[in-house]
Amino acid sequence: MGNAYVAETPEQQKARKRRRKREQELSAEMAKVIKFIPKGVSTFRIALNYARMKRNTGFMPSGLMAINPSLFKTESVCRRTILVLRNNGMIAQFDNGLYGITERGHLAIQLLQIREPSIHEPGDDAF
């Protein structure tokens, strides 16, 4: 009959997950790029994803208040977040006063996805 799927034992599943996690670990140089961004939900992560969503059109810092009013309660929180990201080279200000994401910002998003993979991984469904 060919290659029939054989169910993995729990030990094999744990070994596969450990191997996958080890493959996804960041080097020290890569971790240094995003070390100021805390794990979990943070204003920096949301601002980076918002900048990526807005692409080349740019955005105003106050636009962050519309997408997540619980984290961005005041305009000063928005400006402070943008300032930290700008100082780290992840966001740049255009000539018209709007902000946009840089290549370093795109790299930071990818590194954050590696550092904190999604909770649900394909193939982990146990029905």
Side-chain angles (χ1 to χ4, degrees):
M1 270 266 167
N3 294 332
Y5 178 76
V6 179
E8 293 181 324
T9 64
E11 293 81 21
Q12 290 172 327
Q13 289 174 351
K14 287 178 185 176
R16 181 174 46 87
K17 287 182 181 180
R18 270 185 300 212
R19 198 170 43 250
R20 186 178 298 156
K21 185 175 181 178
R22 197 171 40 249
E23 290 170 356
Q24 292 182 343
E25 288 179 357
L26 296 175
S27 68
E29 183 179 322
M30 290 179 173
K32 188 177 176 183
V33 172
I34 58 171
K35 72 178 181 181
F36 71 95
I37 301 175
K39 290 187 177 184
V41 177
S42 73
T43 56
F44 302 117
R45 175 175 269 196
I46 291 170
L48 277 173
N49 284 314
Y50 182 65
R52 181 178 65 177
M53 181 182 77
K54 289 304 222 172
R55 298 186 187 226
N56 296 332
T57 59
F59 67 96
M60 292 295 295
S62 58
L64 294 167
M65 293 170 62
I67 63 165
N68 196 326
S70 62
L71 279 179
F72 298 99
K73 291 182 177 14
T74 63
E75 200 167 323
S76 65
V77 173
C78 301
R79 284 193 308 258
R80 194 170 37 242
T81 300
I82 295 301
L83 180 67
V84 171
L85 290 173
R86 193 181 76 191
N87 288 344
N88 282 286
M90 296 178 186
I91 288 180
Q93 190 170 14
F94 299 145
D95 292 335
N96 59 4
L98 299 176
Y99 291 89
I101 193 164
T102 63
E103 288 299 319
R104 187 177 174 96
H106 284 291
L107 173 66
I109 290 173
Q110 292 171 351
L111 295 176
L112 286 168
Q113 289 171 345
I114 293 170
R115 183 178 79 180
E116 301 171 54
S118 175
I119 294 170
H120 176 77
E121 294 181 6
D124 287 349
D125 295 334
F127 290 105

